[in-house]
Amino acid sequence: MEAASRSNLKGCKLELGGKSPCIVFPDADLDEAVMTSHKAVFSNQGQVCCSGSRTFVHDDVYEEFVQKSRQLAEHRVVGDPRNKETQHGPLINATQMKKVLDFCRLGCEEGAVLQCGGKRVGSRGFYVQPTVFSDVTDHMTIAKEEIFGPVQSIFRFKTTEEVIRRANDSDYGLAAGIFTKDLNTAINVSNKLRAGVVWLNTYYKFASQMPFGGFKQSGIGRELGEDGVKEYCEVKSVIMKIAGMNS
């Protein structure tokens, strides 16, 4: 953006980061919600712009959800990504590994409960254990900043309006996930979330017809779909005077 403004004002679109919430209501299929939320944050070791790194779970099912999430993370197979059985590979470099480990340390220091993980795996490569924190609150660093690593933060909530407010209380707005069997809840919450993409009872589903991009500091413009094509177009107005005719 700075280069464009100093040179030729060439337009640009930016798909940036996020701190995307996954919201689990008490009527959801809990096993499906646990598995999908797990994949939402641990796919590619969390190095995904729309990673579902904030998991909001209703108080009625919170303890069971945390237990199941911890078990999934503990059994995630860490290793060489070239091996078929590997589910969890390394981070991109040593700098990112240190950053993620620092976030894990801050999570513990600020009062979150470390359910599993939080440490480096071995001494070769840039591997960080699949990490799950429970009892995370909104003021904590791991709740506010994009970690870009394999760290799931699980929050409690009690009411729909509360979780909408808290999910929106972020500088980012790239994506969100909602887990519920109630269609009215799904539509109501998705309409109120400030996110460019909202998945209902699923995550990481894309289509070439579906515009993708974020609100707030998660980007400018859209990719894919008709809106993505418009990013490459210019709008022109033509006005003609025709003699002898009244406008």
mmCIF file of all heavy atoms in Angstrom, residues 55-102:
data_model
loop_
_atom_site.group_PDB
_atom_site.id
_atom_site.type_symbol
_atom_site.label_atom_id
_atom_site.label_comp_id
_atom_site.label_asym_id
_atom_site.label_seq_id
_atom_site.Cartn_x
_atom_site.Cartn_y
_atom_site.Cartn_z
ATOM 1 N N THR A 55 -11.980 -20.590 20.531
ATOM 2 C CA THR A 55 -13.091 -21.537 20.605
ATOM 3 C C THR A 55 -13.977 -21.180 21.792
ATOM 4 O O THR A 55 -13.581 -21.346 22.945
ATOM 5 C CB THR A 55 -12.574 -22.977 20.756
ATOM 6 O OG1 THR A 55 -11.582 -23.244 19.761
ATOM 7 C CG2 THR A 55 -13.711 -23.974 20.618
ATOM 8 N N PHE A 56 -15.170 -20.658 21.497
ATOM 9 C CA PHE A 56 -16.141 -20.291 22.529
ATOM 10 C C PHE A 56 -17.122 -21.449 22.721
ATOM 11 O O PHE A 56 -17.791 -21.860 21.775
ATOM 12 C CB PHE A 56 -16.907 -19.027 22.132
ATOM 13 C CG PHE A 56 -16.083 -17.772 22.133
ATOM 14 C CD1 PHE A 56 -15.411 -17.367 20.991
ATOM 15 C CD2 PHE A 56 -15.973 -16.991 23.281
ATOM 16 C CE1 PHE A 56 -14.651 -16.198 20.981
ATOM 17 C CE2 PHE A 56 -15.216 -15.832 23.284
ATOM 18 C CZ PHE A 56 -14.554 -15.435 22.128
ATOM 19 N N VAL A 57 -17.221 -21.947 23.941
ATOM 20 C CA VAL A 57 -18.059 -23.117 24.217
ATOM 21 C C VAL A 57 -19.047 -22.778 25.328
ATOM 22 O O VAL A 57 -18.670 -22.221 26.371
ATOM 23 C CB VAL A 57 -17.188 -24.326 24.623
ATOM 24 C CG1 VAL A 57 -18.069 -25.549 24.887
ATOM 25 C CG2 VAL A 57 -16.149 -24.626 23.545
ATOM 26 N N HIS A 58 -20.305 -23.140 25.101
ATOM 27 C CA HIS A 58 -21.341 -22.861 26.100
ATOM 28 C C HIS A 58 -21.030 -23.581 27.405
ATOM 29 O O HIS A 58 -20.529 -24.710 27.422
ATOM 30 C CB HIS A 58 -22.709 -23.287 25.576
ATOM 31 C CG HIS A 58 -23.843 -22.762 26.388
ATOM 32 N ND1 HIS A 58 -24.289 -23.393 27.541
ATOM 33 C CD2 HIS A 58 -24.614 -21.648 26.241
ATOM 34 C CE1 HIS A 58 -25.294 -22.698 28.056
ATOM 35 N NE2 HIS A 58 -25.508 -21.629 27.297
ATOM 36 N N ASP A 59 -21.361 -22.926 28.496
ATOM 37 C CA ASP A 59 -21.041 -23.427 29.837
ATOM 38 C C ASP A 59 -21.604 -24.827 30.096
ATOM 39 O O ASP A 59 -20.989 -25.621 30.803
ATOM 40 C CB ASP A 59 -21.581 -22.437 30.876
ATOM 41 C CG ASP A 59 -21.025 -22.693 32.260
ATOM 42 O OD1 ASP A 59 -19.792 -22.675 32.424
ATOM 43 O OD2 ASP A 59 -21.825 -22.915 33.194
ATOM 44 N N ASP A 60 -22.758 -25.146 29.494
ATOM 45 C CA ASP A 60 -23.401 -26.438 29.746
ATOM 46 C C ASP A 60 -22.581 -27.617 29.230
ATOM 47 O O ASP A 60 -22.717 -28.743 29.748
ATOM 48 C CB ASP A 60 -24.790 -26.478 29.096
ATOM 49 C CG ASP A 60 -25.796 -25.575 29.791
ATOM 50 O OD1 ASP A 60 -25.478 -25.052 30.883
ATOM 51 O OD2 ASP A 60 -26.900 -25.381 29.242
ATOM 52 N N VAL A 61 -21.772 -27.404 28.211
ATOM 53 C CA VAL A 61 -21.005 -28.510 27.624
ATOM 54 C C VAL A 61 -19.502 -28.249 27.688
ATOM 55 O O VAL A 61 -18.716 -28.973 27.079
ATOM 56 C CB VAL A 61 -21.435 -28.757 26.152
ATOM 57 C CG1 VAL A 61 -22.862 -29.267 26.100
ATOM 58 C CG2 VAL A 61 -21.276 -27.504 25.301
ATOM 59 N N TYR A 62 -19.116 -27.243 28.456
ATOM 60 C CA TYR A 62 -17.721 -26.782 28.433
ATOM 61 C C TYR A 62 -16.746 -27.869 28.887
ATOM 62 O O TYR A 62 -15.752 -28.153 28.199
ATOM 63 C CB TYR A 62 -17.564 -25.539 29.311
ATOM 64 C CG TYR A 62 -16.188 -24.914 29.232
ATOM 65 C CD1 TYR A 62 -15.868 -24.023 28.218
ATOM 66 C CD2 TYR A 62 -15.201 -25.223 30.164
ATOM 67 C CE1 TYR A 62 -14.607 -23.455 28.127
ATOM 68 C CE2 TYR A 62 -13.938 -24.668 30.082
ATOM 69 C CZ TYR A 62 -13.649 -23.784 29.070
ATOM 70 O OH TYR A 62 -12.391 -23.234 28.991
ATOM 71 N N GLU A 63 -16.986 -28.460 30.042
ATOM 72 C CA GLU A 63 -16.018 -29.414 30.600
ATOM 73 C C GLU A 63 -15.846 -30.628 29.692
ATOM 74 O O GLU A 63 -14.715 -31.083 29.471
ATOM 75 C CB GLU A 63 -16.469 -29.856 31.998
ATOM 76 C CG GLU A 63 -16.540 -28.725 33.020
ATOM 77 C CD GLU A 63 -15.196 -28.040 33.252
ATOM 78 O OE1 GLU A 63 -14.140 -28.670 32.984
ATOM 79 O OE2 GLU A 63 -15.199 -26.880 33.708
ATOM 80 N N GLU A 64 -16.940 -31.129 29.149
ATOM 81 C CA GLU A 64 -16.843 -32.281 28.254
ATOM 82 C C GLU A 64 -16.104 -31.911 26.978
ATOM 83 O O GLU A 64 -15.289 -32.697 26.476
ATOM 84 C CB GLU A 64 -18.242 -32.804 27.925
ATOM 85 C CG GLU A 64 -18.224 -34.067 27.088
ATOM 86 C CD GLU A 64 -19.615 -34.607 26.792
ATOM 87 O OE1 GLU A 64 -20.602 -33.984 27.242
ATOM 88 O OE2 GLU A 64 -19.712 -35.646 26.109
ATOM 89 N N PHE A 65 -16.376 -30.721 26.463
ATOM 90 C CA PHE A 65 -15.692 -30.263 25.252
ATOM 91 C C PHE A 65 -14.193 -30.160 25.485
ATOM 92 O O PHE A 65 -13.396 -30.606 24.645
ATOM 93 C CB PHE A 65 -16.255 -28.910 24.820
ATOM 94 C CG PHE A 65 -15.730 -28.414 23.507
ATOM 95 C CD1 PHE A 65 -16.459 -28.599 22.341
ATOM 96 C CD2 PHE A 65 -14.508 -27.759 23.419
ATOM 97 C CE1 PHE A 65 -15.968 -28.155 21.112
ATOM 98 C CE2 PHE A 65 -14.008 -27.308 22.201
ATOM 99 C CZ PHE A 65 -14.747 -27.507 21.051
ATOM 100 N N VAL A 66 -13.787 -29.582 26.594
ATOM 101 C CA VAL A 66 -12.359 -29.432 26.901
ATOM 102 C C VAL A 66 -11.690 -30.802 27.004
ATOM 103 O O VAL A 66 -10.595 -31.021 26.457
ATOM 104 C CB VAL A 66 -12.169 -28.629 28.207
ATOM 105 C CG1 VAL A 66 -10.708 -28.698 28.681
ATOM 106 C CG2 VAL A 66 -12.589 -27.183 28.008
ATOM 107 N N GLN A 67 -12.342 -31.727 27.691
ATOM 108 C CA GLN A 67 -11.766 -33.061 27.846
ATOM 109 C C GLN A 67 -11.558 -33.749 26.497
ATOM 110 O O GLN A 67 -10.489 -34.306 26.223
ATOM 111 C CB GLN A 67 -12.688 -33.922 28.720
ATOM 112 C CG GLN A 67 -12.182 -35.345 28.916
ATOM 113 C CD GLN A 67 -13.183 -36.215 29.669
ATOM 114 O OE1 GLN A 67 -14.276 -35.762 30.001
ATOM 115 N NE2 GLN A 67 -12.822 -37.448 29.940
ATOM 116 N N LYS A 68 -12.556 -33.686 25.643
ATOM 117 C CA LYS A 68 -12.464 -34.321 24.334
ATOM 118 C C LYS A 68 -11.415 -33.622 23.452
ATOM 119 O O LYS A 68 -10.691 -34.274 22.690
ATOM 120 C CB LYS A 68 -13.831 -34.306 23.650
ATOM 121 C CG LYS A 68 -14.862 -35.247 24.280
ATOM 122 C CD LYS A 68 -16.214 -35.098 23.604
ATOM 123 C CE LYS A 68 -17.260 -36.028 24.187
ATOM 124 N NZ LYS A 68 -17.034 -37.450 23.831
ATOM 125 N N SER A 69 -11.333 -32.305 23.573
ATOM 126 C CA SER A 69 -10.352 -31.547 22.780
ATOM 127 C C SER A 69 -8.937 -31.886 23.213
ATOM 128 O O SER A 69 -8.031 -32.018 22.375
ATOM 129 C CB SER A 69 -10.606 -30.042 22.923
ATOM 130 O OG SER A 69 -11.865 -29.686 22.394
ATOM 131 N N ARG A 70 -8.728 -32.020 24.512
ATOM 132 C CA ARG A 70 -7.409 -32.394 25.018
ATOM 133 C C ARG A 70 -7.004 -33.777 24.517
ATOM 134 O O ARG A 70 -5.868 -33.990 24.078
ATOM 135 C CB ARG A 70 -7.411 -32.383 26.546
ATOM 136 C CG ARG A 70 -6.034 -32.736 27.142
ATOM 137 C CD ARG A 70 -6.064 -32.813 28.651
ATOM 138 N NE ARG A 70 -6.845 -33.944 29.114
ATOM 139 C CZ ARG A 70 -7.976 -33.852 29.810
ATOM 140 N NH1 ARG A 70 -8.461 -32.666 30.132
ATOM 141 N NH2 ARG A 70 -8.637 -34.932 30.186
ATOM 142 N N GLN A 71 -7.937 -34.718 24.548
ATOM 143 C CA GLN A 71 -7.634 -36.074 24.085
ATOM 144 C C GLN A 71 -7.261 -36.091 22.599
ATOM 145 O O GLN A 71 -6.320 -36.797 22.201
ATOM 146 C CB GLN A 71 -8.838 -36.980 24.342
ATOM 147 C CG GLN A 71 -9.088 -37.251 25.820
ATOM 148 C CD GLN A 71 -10.391 -37.981 26.068
ATOM 149 O OE1 GLN A 71 -11.245 -38.105 25.177
ATOM 150 N NE2 GLN A 71 -10.584 -38.471 27.280
ATOM 151 N N LEU A 72 -7.980 -35.326 21.791
ATOM 152 C CA LEU A 72 -7.657 -35.251 20.364
ATOM 153 C C LEU A 72 -6.250 -34.688 20.147
ATOM 154 O O LEU A 72 -5.472 -35.206 19.347
ATOM 155 C CB LEU A 72 -8.672 -34.371 19.634
ATOM 156 C CG LEU A 72 -9.913 -35.030 19.053
ATOM 157 C CD1 LEU A 72 -10.760 -33.982 18.338
ATOM 158 C CD2 LEU A 72 -9.544 -36.147 18.095
ATOM 159 N N ALA A 73 -5.931 -33.607 20.856
ATOM 160 C CA ALA A 73 -4.631 -32.966 20.697
ATOM 161 C C ALA A 73 -3.499 -33.891 21.149
ATOM 162 O O ALA A 73 -2.441 -33.961 20.513
ATOM 163 C CB ALA A 73 -4.594 -31.650 21.467
ATOM 164 N N GLU A 74 -3.723 -34.596 22.254
ATOM 165 C CA GLU A 74 -2.689 -35.487 22.789
ATOM 166 C C GLU A 74 -2.407 -36.661 21.843
ATOM 167 O O GLU A 74 -1.292 -37.191 21.828
ATOM 168 C CB GLU A 74 -3.113 -36.010 24.157
ATOM 169 C CG GLU A 74 -3.052 -34.966 25.263
ATOM 170 C CD GLU A 74 -3.577 -35.483 26.588
ATOM 171 O OE1 GLU A 74 -4.399 -36.432 26.581
ATOM 172 O OE2 GLU A 74 -3.189 -34.933 27.636
ATOM 173 N N HIS A 75 -3.395 -37.066 21.075
ATOM 174 C CA HIS A 75 -3.221 -38.209 20.184
ATOM 175 C C HIS A 75 -2.871 -37.797 18.752
ATOM 176 O O HIS A 75 -2.758 -38.653 17.874
ATOM 177 C CB HIS A 75 -4.493 -39.062 20.177
ATOM 178 C CG HIS A 75 -4.689 -39.835 21.444
ATOM 179 N ND1 HIS A 75 -5.366 -39.325 22.535
ATOM 180 C CD2 HIS A 75 -4.270 -41.076 21.811
ATOM 181 C CE1 HIS A 75 -5.388 -40.221 23.511
ATOM 182 N NE2 HIS A 75 -4.723 -41.290 23.102
ATOM 183 N N ARG A 76 -2.689 -36.499 18.537
ATOM 184 C CA ARG A 76 -2.321 -36.036 17.201
ATOM 185 C C ARG A 76 -0.887 -36.493 16.895
ATOM 186 O O ARG A 76 0.028 -36.280 17.687
ATOM 187 C CB ARG A 76 -2.434 -34.516 17.141
ATOM 188 C CG ARG A 76 -2.393 -33.944 15.738
ATOM 189 C CD ARG A 76 -2.826 -32.484 15.728
ATOM 190 N NE ARG A 76 -2.763 -31.916 14.391
ATOM 191 C CZ ARG A 76 -3.698 -32.057 13.471
ATOM 192 N NH1 ARG A 76 -4.797 -32.744 13.765
ATOM 193 N NH2 ARG A 76 -3.577 -31.518 12.278
ATOM 194 N N VAL A 77 -0.684 -37.126 15.757
ATOM 195 C CA VAL A 77 0.610 -37.719 15.417
ATOM 196 C C VAL A 77 1.541 -36.636 14.880
ATOM 197 O O VAL A 77 1.281 -36.012 13.850
ATOM 198 C CB VAL A 77 0.447 -38.835 14.366
ATOM 199 C CG1 VAL A 77 1.812 -39.421 14.005
ATOM 200 C CG2 VAL A 77 -0.487 -39.917 14.888
ATOM 201 N N VAL A 78 2.636 -36.393 15.612
ATOM 202 C CA VAL A 78 3.625 -35.390 15.239
ATOM 203 C C VAL A 78 4.790 -36.075 14.549
ATOM 204 O O VAL A 78 5.281 -37.110 15.010
ATOM 205 C CB VAL A 78 4.136 -34.638 16.488
ATOM 206 C CG1 VAL A 78 5.149 -33.572 16.089
ATOM 207 C CG2 VAL A 78 2.973 -34.020 17.257
ATOM 208 N N GLY A 79 5.254 -35.498 13.419
ATOM 209 C CA GLY A 79 6.390 -36.118 12.750
ATOM 210 C C GLY A 79 6.695 -35.496 11.406
ATOM 211 O O GLY A 79 6.225 -34.402 11.076
ATOM 212 N N ASP A 80 7.474 -36.220 10.649
ATOM 213 C CA ASP A 80 7.889 -35.792 9.309
ATOM 214 C C ASP A 80 6.651 -35.697 8.408
ATOM 215 O O ASP A 80 5.929 -36.691 8.245
ATOM 216 C CB ASP A 80 8.875 -36.812 8.745
ATOM 217 C CG ASP A 80 9.529 -36.351 7.444
ATOM 218 O OD1 ASP A 80 8.882 -35.592 6.682
ATOM 219 O OD2 ASP A 80 10.679 -36.751 7.191
ATOM 220 N N PRO A 81 6.386 -34.535 7.831
ATOM 221 C CA PRO A 81 5.184 -34.392 6.995
ATOM 222 C C PRO A 81 5.195 -35.267 5.741
ATOM 223 O O PRO A 81 4.156 -35.419 5.097
ATOM 224 C CB PRO A 81 5.186 -32.899 6.635
ATOM 225 C CG PRO A 81 6.595 -32.450 6.825
ATOM 226 C CD PRO A 81 7.140 -33.281 7.945
ATOM 227 N N ARG A 82 6.332 -35.852 5.407
ATOM 228 C CA ARG A 82 6.404 -36.744 4.249
ATOM 229 C C ARG A 82 5.867 -38.130 4.576
ATOM 230 O O ARG A 82 5.625 -38.935 3.667
ATOM 231 C CB ARG A 82 7.835 -36.827 3.737
ATOM 232 C CG ARG A 82 8.363 -35.517 3.174
ATOM 233 C CD ARG A 82 9.852 -35.569 2.892
ATOM 234 N NE ARG A 82 10.623 -35.688 4.129
ATOM 235 C CZ ARG A 82 11.946 -35.679 4.199
ATOM 236 N NH1 ARG A 82 12.651 -35.542 3.072
ATOM 237 N NH2 ARG A 82 12.571 -35.789 5.354
ATOM 238 N N ASN A 83 5.691 -38.428 5.870
ATOM 239 C CA ASN A 83 5.142 -39.720 6.267
ATOM 240 C C ASN A 83 3.616 -39.678 6.268
ATOM 241 O O ASN A 83 3.009 -38.719 6.749
ATOM 242 C CB ASN A 83 5.633 -40.097 7.670
ATOM 243 C CG ASN A 83 7.134 -40.294 7.711
ATOM 244 O OD1 ASN A 83 7.757 -40.582 6.679
ATOM 245 N ND2 ASN A 83 7.727 -40.134 8.894
ATOM 246 N N LYS A 84 2.988 -40.711 5.731
ATOM 247 C CA LYS A 84 1.539 -40.726 5.581
ATOM 248 C C LYS A 84 0.810 -40.647 6.918
ATOM 249 O O LYS A 84 -0.288 -40.081 7.002
ATOM 250 C CB LYS A 84 1.109 -41.986 4.823
ATOM 251 C CG LYS A 84 1.514 -41.993 3.355
ATOM 252 C CD LYS A 84 0.985 -43.224 2.651
ATOM 253 C CE LYS A 84 1.358 -43.198 1.172
ATOM 254 N NZ LYS A 84 0.847 -44.408 0.456
ATOM 255 N N GLU A 85 1.384 -41.226 7.954
ATOM 256 C CA GLU A 85 0.695 -41.251 9.244
ATOM 257 C C GLU A 85 0.797 -39.936 10.008
ATOM 258 O O GLU A 85 0.100 -39.716 10.995
ATOM 259 C CB GLU A 85 1.238 -42.387 10.116
ATOM 260 C CG GLU A 85 2.705 -42.250 10.521
ATOM 261 C CD GLU A 85 3.659 -42.873 9.513
ATOM 262 O OE1 GLU A 85 3.260 -43.101 8.359
ATOM 263 O OE2 GLU A 85 4.805 -43.131 9.908
ATOM 264 N N THR A 86 1.671 -39.030 9.569
ATOM 265 C CA THR A 86 1.866 -37.759 10.257
ATOM 266 C C THR A 86 0.644 -36.858 10.104
ATOM 267 O O THR A 86 0.131 -36.670 9.007
ATOM 268 C CB THR A 86 3.111 -37.039 9.731
ATOM 269 O OG1 THR A 86 4.274 -37.824 10.028
ATOM 270 C CG2 THR A 86 3.262 -35.663 10.374
ATOM 271 N N GLN A 87 0.209 -36.299 11.221
ATOM 272 C CA GLN A 87 -0.896 -35.330 11.233
ATOM 273 C C GLN A 87 -0.415 -33.924 11.549
ATOM 274 O O GLN A 87 -1.130 -32.952 11.274
ATOM 275 C CB GLN A 87 -1.940 -35.733 12.282
ATOM 276 C CG GLN A 87 -2.603 -37.068 12.040
ATOM 277 C CD GLN A 87 -3.491 -37.471 13.198
ATOM 278 O OE1 GLN A 87 -3.058 -37.526 14.347
ATOM 279 N NE2 GLN A 87 -4.760 -37.737 12.888
ATOM 280 N N HIS A 88 0.770 -33.823 12.106
ATOM 281 C CA HIS A 88 1.229 -32.548 12.669
ATOM 282 C C HIS A 88 2.708 -32.366 12.365
ATOM 283 O O HIS A 88 3.553 -33.080 12.895
ATOM 284 C CB HIS A 88 0.983 -32.570 14.189
ATOM 285 C CG HIS A 88 1.202 -31.256 14.873
ATOM 286 N ND1 HIS A 88 0.193 -30.345 15.060
ATOM 287 C CD2 HIS A 88 2.304 -30.709 15.435
ATOM 288 C CE1 HIS A 88 0.660 -29.287 15.721
ATOM 289 N NE2 HIS A 88 1.944 -29.494 15.947
ATOM 290 N N GLY A 89 3.020 -31.425 11.467
ATOM 291 C CA GLY A 89 4.393 -31.202 11.068
ATOM 292 C C GLY A 89 5.017 -30.000 11.759
ATOM 293 O O GLY A 89 4.515 -29.513 12.781
ATOM 294 N N PRO A 90 6.099 -29.470 11.212
ATOM 295 C CA PRO A 90 6.821 -28.367 11.843
ATOM 296 C C PRO A 90 6.236 -27.014 11.466
ATOM 297 O O PRO A 90 5.453 -26.883 10.522
ATOM 298 C CB PRO A 90 8.229 -28.513 11.274
ATOM 299 C CG PRO A 90 7.991 -29.067 9.896
ATOM 300 C CD PRO A 90 6.813 -29.982 10.018
ATOM 301 N N LEU A 91 6.664 -26.005 12.204
ATOM 302 C CA LEU A 91 6.379 -24.625 11.832
ATOM 303 C C LEU A 91 7.379 -24.182 10.768
ATOM 304 O O LEU A 91 8.348 -24.878 10.462
ATOM 305 C CB LEU A 91 6.441 -23.726 13.062
ATOM 306 C CG LEU A 91 5.385 -24.035 14.134
ATOM 307 C CD1 LEU A 91 5.604 -23.175 15.373
ATOM 308 C CD2 LEU A 91 3.985 -23.833 13.591
ATOM 309 N N ILE A 92 7.167 -22.990 10.225
ATOM 310 C CA ILE A 92 7.919 -22.566 9.051
ATOM 311 C C ILE A 92 9.398 -22.320 9.335
ATOM 312 O O ILE A 92 10.258 -22.600 8.512
ATOM 313 C CB ILE A 92 7.277 -21.311 8.401
ATOM 314 C CG1 ILE A 92 7.938 -20.955 7.079
ATOM 315 C CG2 ILE A 92 7.280 -20.146 9.372
ATOM 316 C CD1 ILE A 92 7.749 -21.970 5.994
ATOM 317 N N ASN A 93 9.724 -21.795 10.529
ATOM 318 C CA ASN A 93 11.123 -21.508 10.838
ATOM 319 C C ASN A 93 11.302 -21.347 12.342
ATOM 320 O O ASN A 93 10.332 -21.400 13.120
ATOM 321 C CB ASN A 93 11.626 -20.260 10.093
ATOM 322 C CG ASN A 93 10.758 -19.033 10.345
ATOM 323 O OD1 ASN A 93 10.227 -18.845 11.450
ATOM 324 N ND2 ASN A 93 10.613 -18.189 9.337
ATOM 325 N N ALA A 94 12.551 -21.138 12.748
ATOM 326 C CA ALA A 94 12.864 -21.028 14.175
ATOM 327 C C ALA A 94 12.238 -19.792 14.806
ATOM 328 O O ALA A 94 11.821 -19.819 15.970
ATOM 329 C CB ALA A 94 14.385 -20.998 14.362
ATOM 330 N N THR A 95 12.159 -18.707 14.048
ATOM 331 C CA THR A 95 11.564 -17.478 14.577
ATOM 332 C C THR A 95 10.106 -17.696 14.942
ATOM 333 O O THR A 95 9.642 -17.279 16.017
ATOM 334 C CB THR A 95 11.682 -16.341 13.537
ATOM 335 O OG1 THR A 95 13.052 -16.112 13.245
ATOM 336 C CG2 THR A 95 11.046 -15.065 14.060
ATOM 337 N N GLN A 96 9.360 -18.364 14.061
ATOM 338 C CA GLN A 96 7.947 -18.615 14.343
ATOM 339 C C GLN A 96 7.786 -19.598 15.491
ATOM 340 O O GLN A 96 6.877 -19.453 16.318
ATOM 341 C CB GLN A 96 7.245 -19.141 13.090
ATOM 342 C CG GLN A 96 5.747 -19.360 13.257
ATOM 343 C CD GLN A 96 4.993 -18.091 13.592
ATOM 344 O OE1 GLN A 96 5.481 -16.987 13.357
ATOM 345 N NE2 GLN A 96 3.803 -18.232 14.143
ATOM 346 N N MET A 97 8.652 -20.587 15.578
ATOM 347 C CA MET A 97 8.583 -21.532 16.687
ATOM 348 C C MET A 97 8.777 -20.813 18.029
ATOM 349 O O MET A 97 8.028 -21.049 18.987
ATOM 350 C CB MET A 97 9.654 -22.618 16.524
ATOM 351 C CG MET A 97 9.650 -23.652 17.642
ATOM 352 S SD MET A 97 10.968 -24.885 17.482
ATOM 353 C CE MET A 97 12.428 -23.871 17.798
ATOM 354 N N LYS A 98 9.766 -19.936 18.098
ATOM 355 C CA LYS A 98 10.002 -19.190 19.335
ATOM 356 C C LYS A 98 8.815 -18.306 19.677
ATOM 357 O O LYS A 98 8.417 -18.197 20.846
ATOM 358 C CB LYS A 98 11.267 -18.334 19.201
ATOM 359 C CG LYS A 98 11.600 -17.536 20.458
ATOM 360 C CD LYS A 98 12.841 -16.690 20.274
ATOM 361 C CE LYS A 98 13.201 -15.959 21.566
ATOM 362 N NZ LYS A 98 12.101 -15.096 22.054
ATOM 363 N N LYS A 99 8.233 -17.684 18.658
ATOM 364 C CA LYS A 99 7.068 -16.823 18.880
ATOM 365 C C LYS A 99 5.913 -17.623 19.478
ATOM 366 O O LYS A 99 5.275 -17.184 20.446
ATOM 367 C CB LYS A 99 6.647 -16.188 17.558
ATOM 368 C CG LYS A 99 5.391 -15.335 17.637
ATOM 369 C CD LYS A 99 5.007 -14.803 16.256
ATOM 370 C CE LYS A 99 3.669 -14.072 16.298
ATOM 371 N NZ LYS A 99 3.249 -13.612 14.944
ATOM 372 N N VAL A 100 5.652 -18.795 18.923
ATOM 373 C CA VAL A 100 4.553 -19.630 19.414
ATOM 374 C C VAL A 100 4.830 -20.093 20.845
ATOM 375 O O VAL A 100 3.940 -20.071 21.705
ATOM 376 C CB VAL A 100 4.325 -20.828 18.478
ATOM 377 C CG1 VAL A 100 3.313 -21.805 19.082
ATOM 378 C CG2 VAL A 100 3.840 -20.353 17.119
ATOM 379 N N LEU A 101 6.053 -20.501 21.113
ATOM 380 C CA LEU A 101 6.402 -20.937 22.469
ATOM 381 C C LEU A 101 6.288 -19.788 23.472
ATOM 382 O O LEU A 101 5.890 -19.989 24.622
ATOM 383 C CB LEU A 101 7.808 -21.529 22.484
ATOM 384 C CG LEU A 101 7.976 -22.855 21.735
ATOM 385 C CD1 LEU A 101 9.446 -23.252 21.662
ATOM 386 C CD2 LEU A 101 7.153 -23.955 22.382
ATOM 387 N N ASP A 102 6.616 -18.573 23.030
ATOM 388 C CA ASP A 102 6.455 -17.401 23.905
ATOM 389 C C ASP A 102 4.982 -17.158 24.219
ATOM 390 O O ASP A 102 4.628 -16.805 25.353
ATOM 391 C CB ASP A 102 7.058 -16.158 23.242
ATOM 392 C CG ASP A 102 8.575 -16.139 23.283
ATOM 393 O OD1 ASP A 102 9.153 -16.905 24.085
ATOM 394 O OD2 ASP A 102 9.184 -15.366 22.516
#
